[in-house]
Amino acid sequence: MRTRADIRPRRGSRTDMAAAEGGGGGGARPDAAVQRAELGPLLAAAPRPGESWYLVDSRWFKQWKKYVGFDSWDMFGAGDLSLFPGPIDNSGLFGDPETQSLKEHLIDELDYVLVPTEAWNKLVTWYGCIDGQQPIVRKVVEYGLFVKHYKVEVYLLELKLGESSDPDNVVSCHFSKADTVATIEKEMRKLFNIPAEKETRLWNRYMSNTYEQLSKLDSTVQDAGLYQGQVVLIEVKNEDGTWPGQHFLAKGSGFVCNSYNCRDSASLSQPGLCGLSNLGNTCFMNSALQCLSNTPPLTDYFLEDKYEAEINQNNPLGMRGEIAEAYAELIKQIWSGRQSYVAPRMFKTQVGRFAPQFSGYQQQDSQELLAFLLDGLHEDLNRVKKKPYLELKDANGRPDSEVAKEAWENHRLRNDSIIVDIFHGLFKSTLVCPKCSKVSVTFDPFCYLTLPLPLRRDRLMEVTLVYADPQHRPVQYRVVVPMMGAISDLCESLSKLSGVPAENMVVTDVYNHRFHKIFQMDEGLNHIMPKDDIFVYEVCKPSEDGSEYITLSVYFREKTMRQSSSTSGTVLFGQPLLISVPKHKLTVDHLYSVVLEQISRYVKFPLAEEYPTPCPDKGTCNGSSGVDEGDIEEMEHQDGGQEGKEKLAEVDPCHSEGCMQIESARDLQPCKKQHFTFSLVNSSGNSEINSIVEGKILKLNAFSALAIDWDSDTRRLLFDEQEAQAFEKHASMLQPQKKKAVVALRDCIELFTTMETLGEHDPWYCPNCKKHQQATKKFDLWSLPRILVVHLKRFSYSRYWRDKLDTVVEFPIRGLNMSEFVCDPRAGSYVYDLIAVSNHYGAMGVGHYTAYAKNKVNDKWYYFDDSSVSVASEDQIVTKAAYVLFYQRRNSEEHTAPSPPQEECDGMDTN
């Protein structure tokens, strides 16, 4: 039996010469199994310091994986030979194609993948790169002092370098975080022509003209705390041995004080109203710190030095007390009333030593930092010096009160700190087996509540409809589709707005002038990400004569001559087409006429009088003249520019059977030389896979890809680029979007406590059935802490999708009554007032964090935005940006710490 793998490309096909098609490299390629075997271990390797790794556009990489059968779904490892990826194409990663600078905010795995040098070299050898594209190579950098953590540094740090004598005239330069201050100094000496014998000093310049000397030349950029956009000035010593610094530093500027860079105010400010400088994407940290700083019981504990007696330097789970001490020093600075802002550099450095994910200057998550910080403070201040081993017992039908009391006591035997006193509560978790009805009840401590937001039921999508009528410009629509809907739902919704029948639509993702994906009707809309360019094609399926139609992809390519050699390559351009052709008319003649008609709006052909000689032979109108397509290309490439132009002038109108279907204005096709030639290509359009022979019925599959190849002169003369890209906007694009639904905080709590069935990938092991079951699970709240931290789960992740829910959640500023959600029948009153909010503005992975907080001294609300602090009013606080809420229990001063309930009491009131 002959399989697809047995079919060999024709002689002269450039499937074997991927790089010849797209540039550089492209030697003999081993088969799919060898490629998988050679690259598998390399791709699984962990980055090591000093190594170079390369960025590859994830779209190209995914296509390569499918081509060689690398994905887990390809159980036989057969691959898909129709998905040949062609040369490596990173153009989707460039913000500016000229400078080839990276787009901002690219996400690992989603936008690009990282491969080590050896893997990159193999891929380039096998496939080559697109002409003119430089490899995107980056170094592996080491983070953290105690916990080593290695990461590929995708984005270099931009520093603004200047001279102290002209501090406003700066030059941007990029450095690795592993570079030293000495490297910066060397670069600055070169930039500003400072002789080697001259003595220099380097200074950081912050906002409000605060300066700090960079005295340790062997310190790395990361350890020195330099951040994106930081201004660094170089100062040259005077001939008389003095420094000119007195002049440029005297202009109302401040100096550094101890480990915190702070600005002394002329008048004392209100304690607690102290901003935190942004050290470069550290607004997430500043937001979390301001919320904690305005948590009265915790701040009082540090200001009164109670922490000193409780520091646990020997806890293996802790950080030797260093996080607690750094936090204490920062809180004392904030509440001293002496500074209007401080730079939390020392604190950030300490956090980075123990949690390397926070050591860089990428945007992070304020809630993740908060979780780390509460856990770190707890372990640094844990009063339990030696944790006892405890065996967990199942409830086995015992009363909830007894099991809860036991769980809390066990928790306190191992965990006893100010954090547990203030922030810890108790969950009740109930699992029920669907087969044997076994009920499992457990009680678990928590430090904060993560509440789901009710998911939006629908989603807005912007798509462009390409009509079958070639004279109709494409139209952009905004459609409402179900959040978890299918492609068919998109088509139905678009059909209502456009009048085009849904069954005549084909939905595609167009990327770099090619179809990245052609969707099936039953595929989920979750495969489509917000940034994808979705084009929906109207494909006519007439059936008067009952003939079978086939839909083909058509790409535009321009043949280009290489400067380095006499060979030619091709470059994709324009918007691809989808055309439907009856199977019995699949000839080069008919395809030519159909394509000509489809592009007639933006390709303007010469009139008949320009072709004086009539076409003598009806039916010989073809682009191949019976010659193998590969040979034609070779001949064309040898023609030379002028001769090609002369040939254009020789051709005459033709009225063959296939041409007669075209309107009279379009039926003037060349006979001896057509405006373009056809090639059968892979789905990326960058490699030919077969010849197209004139005169025969072509045997093509649905969505086979054809390229129409133009020479540069013809494209320039006939192709109207502006009209080809033109589109219109439907009224749906101009309508104001509906106001988003508002959700109450209690809706989120109710959703959290709703019973759910575990997913098939997350089953529970039933001890009765002795197997994993999709049990039902229900969370309840048994006891709540003095300070209730509520994390609104705004960010959602999936394999295809990363999103932020910007729903407005209405939460009370005062009087949040949680009593009805507490299932302990003996519990007291749980009424809370808001004391702080961490806000997140913008999209996921980017954006900005701020905080609202209530000052414990004067009970007024303030807005904290990095180093700026301003008065706020209560009506400003509830917004769609609210991310983490801090509530304080009323009368909490009466409850100094949660303690186990008395023996005679069944309740689990831990406060």
Side-chain angles (χ1 to χ4, degrees):
M1 181 180 162
R2 193 162 177 246
T3 65
R4 275 163 68 180
D6 297 323
I7 301 170
R8 295 282 179 264
R10 62 182 170 84
R11 179 182 60 78
S13 158
R14 276 172 296 187
T15 310
D16 291 331
M17 298 179 284
E21 189 66 38
R29 238 183 348 269
D31 64 24
V34 174
Q35 290 188 47
R36 289 197 309 271
E38 288 192 21
L39 254 61
L42 298 176
L43 297 173
R48 290 188 302 233
E51 286 181 338
S52 293
W53 283 53
Y54 290 77
L55 275 74
V56 180
D57 190 309
S58 62
R59 297 201 191 215
W60 185 91
F61 193 72
K62 281 175 188 166
Q63 185 142 342
W64 171 78
K65 284 170 81 174
K66 287 177 183 172
Y67 176 65
V68 300
F70 199 88
D71 276 320
S72 53
W73 53 262
D74 193 343
M75 53 198 295
F76 301 110
D80 184 345
L81 295 184
S82 70
L83 294 175
F84 179 72
I88 299 168
D89 183 1
N90 279 338
S91 50
L93 302 179
F94 298 135
D96 179 354
E98 292 299 313
T99 62
Q100 298 192 6
S101 55
L102 279 189
K103 285 178 183 170
E104 291 185 13
H105 313 308
L106 294 174
I107 299 173
D108 189 12
E109 297 295 334
L110 194 68
D111 300 303
Y112 63 84
V113 291
L114 291 159
V115 301
T117 300
E118 195 181 342
W120 169 260
N121 289 341
K122 285 180 185 293
L123 287 172
V124 171
T125 303
W126 299 335
Y127 296 94
C129 290
I130 290 286
D131 253 354
Q133 274 190 20
Q134 297 303 312
I136 310 171
V137 60
R138 294 291 187 265
K139 284 270 190 271
V140 177
V141 176
E142 179 178 294
Y143 292 88
L145 295 180
F146 298 122
V147 185
K148 295 297 181 194
H149 184 75
Y150 306 114
K151 248 178 13 181
V152 178
E153 186 179 30
V154 173
Y155 289 101
L156 297 174
L157 198 68
E158 181 189 10
L159 298 179
K160 296 184 187 303
L161 310 180
E163 296 177 277
S164 63
S165 56
D166 187 9
D168 296 321
N169 187 15
V170 292
V171 180
S172 288
C173 287
H174 290 84
F175 295 92
S176 163
K177 297 179 188 76
D179 284 339
T180 61
V181 174
T183 311
I184 300 172
E185 187 194 34
K186 188 177 173 186
E187 184 65 26
M188 292 179 83
R189 280 179 178 272
K190 201 161 62 179
L191 265 176
F192 304 117
N193 298 313
I194 300 168
E197 64 274 10
K198 291 272 189 184
E199 201 177 330
T200 58
R201 293 193 301 195
L202 296 192
W203 295 86
N204 276 338
R205 187 176 75 175
Y206 297 98
M207 63 182 85
S208 310
N209 277 347
T210 311
Y211 293 82
E212 177 188 41
Q213 189 179 348
L214 287 167
S215 50
K216 292 183 181 173
L217 292 182
D218 59 346
S219 174
T220 64
V221 166
Q222 179 178 306
D223 291 340
L226 299 179
Y227 60 84
Q228 182 73 12
Q230 168 87 58
V231 175
V232 179
L233 301 178
I234 190 164
E235 181 190 16
V236 183
K237 203 171 197 178
N238 295 326
E239 296 294 337
D240 62 3
T242 62
W243 291 99
Q246 284 78 358
H247 308 296
F248 85 89
L249 289 172
K251 300 172 188 170
S253 62
F255 280 96
V256 181
C257 67
N258 64 46
S259 57
Y260 291 101
N261 191 39
C262 59
R263 190 180 83 187
D264 283 340
S265 300
S267 58
L268 290 181
S269 62
Q270 168 81 36
L273 302 187
C274 177
L276 296 171
S277 293
N278 191 325
L279 302 176
N281 276 340
T282 56
C283 54
F284 73 94
M285 178 177 80
N286 295 344
S287 173
L289 287 171
Q290 293 290 10
C291 291
L292 281 179
S293 167
N294 286 282
T295 300
L298 185 64
T299 292
D300 291 344
Y301 171 84
F302 282 100
L303 292 180
E304 294 164 12
D305 292 332
K306 291 179 181 175
Y307 71 96
E308 289 178 345
E310 296 188 340
I311 283 183
N312 186 340
Q313 294 181 328
N314 302 315
N315 183 355
L317 298 177
M319 287 143 218
R320 305 195 310 210
E322 291 178 35
I323 290 287
E325 285 175 339
Y327 181 75
E329 187 184 345
L330 178 58
I331 288 296
K332 288 173 182 177
Q333 288 272 351
I334 290 173
W335 288 87
S336 68
R338 289 196 301 272
Q339 288 94 32
S340 58
Y341 72 83
V342 299
R345 169 147 328 158
M346 193 65 205
F347 178 78
K348 181 186 182 301
T349 303
Q350 291 290 28
V351 168
R353 291 169 73 183
F354 297 102
Q357 67 269 33
F358 300 119
S359 68
Y361 295 91
Q362 286 79 31
Q363 182 64 276
Q364 300 285 351
D365 187 318
S366 65
Q367 185 271 332
E368 287 177 8
L369 177 83
L370 195 61
F372 163 79
L373 195 48
L374 288 174
D375 188 52
L377 288 174
H378 159 65
E379 296 295 0
D380 266 7
L381 298 167
N382 199 343
R383 300 165 189 131
V384 178
K385 304 302 180 199
K386 190 175 179 186
K387 296 190 177 188
Y389 171 75
L390 299 168
E391 200 169 321
L392 295 174
K393 296 178 190 170
D394 197 51
N396 283 329
R398 290 182 292 159
D400 281 354
S401 55
E402 183 185 329
V403 182
K405 176 174 177 290
E406 179 181 87
W408 184 255
E409 285 175 347
N410 285 346
H411 178 56
R412 292 304 295 247
L413 285 171
R414 293 173 57 83
N415 303 280
D416 184 15
S417 72
I418 183 68
I419 302 300
V420 179
D421 297 345
I422 297 172
F423 292 97
H424 284 210
L426 209 59
F427 280 140
K428 177 188 175 185
S429 173
T430 308
L431 286 153
V432 180
C433 176
K435 294 285 184 277
C436 70
S437 301
K438 157 79 177 170
V439 178
S440 169
V441 175
T442 54
F443 289 84
D444 301 293
F446 68 87
C447 191
Y448 49 87
L449 276 184
T450 295
L451 298 183
L453 271 62
L455 276 177
R456 292 173 294 191
R457 290 184 175 81
D458 51 37
R459 162 187 174 193
L460 284 173
M461 288 181 69
E462 291 181 6
V463 300
T464 304
L465 178 60
V466 181
Y467 287 87
D469 175 2
Q471 300 308 312
H472 198 316
R473 280 182 175 178
V475 178
Q476 198 175 29
Y477 290 86
R478 184 181 285 138
V479 293
V480 181
V481 293
M483 181 61 81
M484 302 310 290
I487 296 293
S488 55
D489 295 308
L490 168 59
C491 294
E492 290 294 341
S493 186
L494 184 56
S495 177
K496 286 174 188 168
L497 291 177
S498 65
V500 174
E503 60 270 19
N504 287 6
M505 293 180 183
V506 177
V507 180
T508 70
D509 176 3
V510 174
Y511 174 72
N512 276 359
H513 315 292
R514 60 174 71 107
F515 293 117
H516 176 61
K517 184 168 175 60
I518 295 176
F519 294 96
Q520 302 296 320
M521 282 294 187
D522 58 352
E523 283 189 76
L525 290 173
N526 61 340
H527 290 64
I528 297 177
M529 287 180 281
K531 66 172 188 171
D532 290 341
D533 288 322
I534 300 301
F535 285 79
V536 181
Y537 288 78
E538 179 189 6
V539 179
C540 285
K541 299 173 184 172
S543 55
E544 294 105 44
D545 56 356
S547 57
E548 188 183 345
Y549 275 71
I550 191 161
T551 301
L552 303 171
S553 308
V554 179
Y555 296 148
F556 292 83
R557 299 197 305 183
E558 179 183 339
K559 288 178 284 201
T560 56
M561 294 299 292
R562 289 235 178 74
Q563 292 159 352
S564 56
S565 69
S566 59
T567 61
S568 84
T570 56
V571 177
L572 288 164
F573 70 95
Q575 179 73 26
L577 305 172
L578 279 183
I579 58 171
S580 265
V581 186
K583 258 195 170 180
H584 69 278
K585 285 190 177 179
L586 267 180
T587 62
V588 172
D589 278 358
H590 188 67
L591 283 174
Y592 191 94
S593 66
V594 172
V595 170
L596 213 56
E597 173 68 6
Q598 282 298 310
I599 63 180
S600 59
R601 180 171 53 84
Y602 47 88
V603 176
K604 305 302 179 191
F605 293 108
L607 294 172
E609 53 267 25
E610 293 180 41
Y611 301 107
T613 317
C615 176
D617 190 3
K618 183 181 179 183
T620 61
C621 181
N622 58 69
S624 304
S625 308
V627 186
D628 183 273
E629 190 75 14
D631 298 330
I632 271 195
E633 289 200 357
E634 286 168 22
M635 288 194 296
E636 285 169 2
H637 299 155
Q638 292 161 5
D639 279 342
Q642 191 53 44
E643 197 179 332
K645 285 180 192 169
E646 287 166 12
K647 285 193 172 187
L648 263 180
E650 291 169 11
V651 294
D652 18 295
C654 164
H655 299 278
S656 75
E657 193 182 334
C659 303
M660 291 302 287
Q661 299 176 18
I662 304 172
E663 297 171 19
S664 57
R666 308 289 172 222
D667 63 8
L668 312 171
Q669 335 177 17
C671 217
K672 294 178 186 172
K673 162 94 176 177
Q674 296 195 336
H675 296 302
F676 52 80
T677 55
F678 285 105
S679 311
L680 182 63
V681 293
N682 65 343
S683 61
S684 293
N686 52 17
S687 183
E688 287 154 40
I689 56 177
N690 219 328
S691 60
I692 290 185
V693 181
E694 174 273 330
K696 295 180 183 175
I697 298 289
L698 303 172
K699 291 181 180 177
L700 299 176
N701 301 321
F703 299 110
S704 287
L706 295 172
I708 53 174
D709 293 326
W710 301 67
D711 63 51
S712 301
D713 291 332
T714 312
R715 175 184 172 185
R716 194 179 68 253
L717 286 168
L718 306 181
F719 198 88
D720 184 341
E721 305 277 355
Q722 199 170 349
E723 181 57 35
Q725 292 174 25
F727 65 93
E728 290 165 7
K729 289 197 173 190
H730 183 256
S732 58
M733 294 293 295
L734 310 173
Q735 288 168 358
Q737 297 188 31
K738 282 185 197 168
K739 202 175 174 188
K740 294 190 184 294
V742 175
V743 172
L745 184 62
R746 63 175 299 113
D747 297 333
C748 303
I749 300 167
E750 283 171 358
L751 190 60
F752 175 78
T753 56
T754 301
M755 185 183 292
E756 61 174 353
T757 302
L758 295 178
E760 57 181 312
H761 301 298
D762 185 28
W764 169 65
Y765 183 79
C766 174
N768 269 11
C769 302
K770 301 283 190 283
K771 61 188 283 193
H772 286 92
Q773 302 284 13
Q774 278 182 258
T776 59
K777 184 175 187 176
K778 187 177 189 313
F779 275 129
D780 288 295
L781 303 172
W782 184 264
S783 68
L784 298 177
R786 286 169 68 187
I787 301 294
L788 178 64
V789 180
V790 175
H791 163 222
L792 300 173
K793 198 174 179 185
R794 290 196 177 277
F795 300 116
S796 60
Y797 305 79
S798 81
R799 185 176 168 189
Y800 305 102
W801 174 269
R802 302 181 183 195
D803 192 21
K804 181 189 174 189
L805 303 172
D806 55 0
T807 314
V808 175
V809 177
E810 291 208 322
F811 49 91
I813 306 292
R814 57 177 68 81
L816 170 66
N817 192 343
M818 294 291 291
S819 306
E820 62 178 294
F821 298 107
V822 175
C823 66
D824 176 6
R826 304 280 185 90
S829 169
Y830 284 105
V831 180
Y832 289 86
D833 296 316
L834 191 72
I835 54 169
V837 179
S838 173
N839 302 304
H840 177 266
Y841 300 91
M844 199 187 104
V846 293
H848 185 56
Y849 287 90
T850 65
Y852 286 109
K854 191 177 183 181
N855 185 274
K856 69 187 181 76
V857 178
N858 64 12
D859 272 351
K860 289 182 179 171
W861 282 93
Y862 293 89
Y863 184 60
F864 296 85
D865 183 355
D866 288 334
S867 56
S868 159
V869 183
S870 53
V871 176
S873 58
E874 287 188 4
D875 59 2
Q876 295 174 298
I877 295 166
V878 179
T879 69
K880 67 178 183 180
Y883 182 43
V884 184
L885 315 176
F886 282 67
Y887 279 98
Q888 182 169 19
R889 188 176 175 186
R890 282 187 184 171
N891 305 320
S892 60
E893 61 273 9
E894 297 167 18
H895 307 267
T896 52
S899 54
Q902 299 303 310
E903 289 297 325
E904 67 272 17
C905 173
D906 272 350
M908 259 309 297
D909 183 352
T910 61
N911 298 284

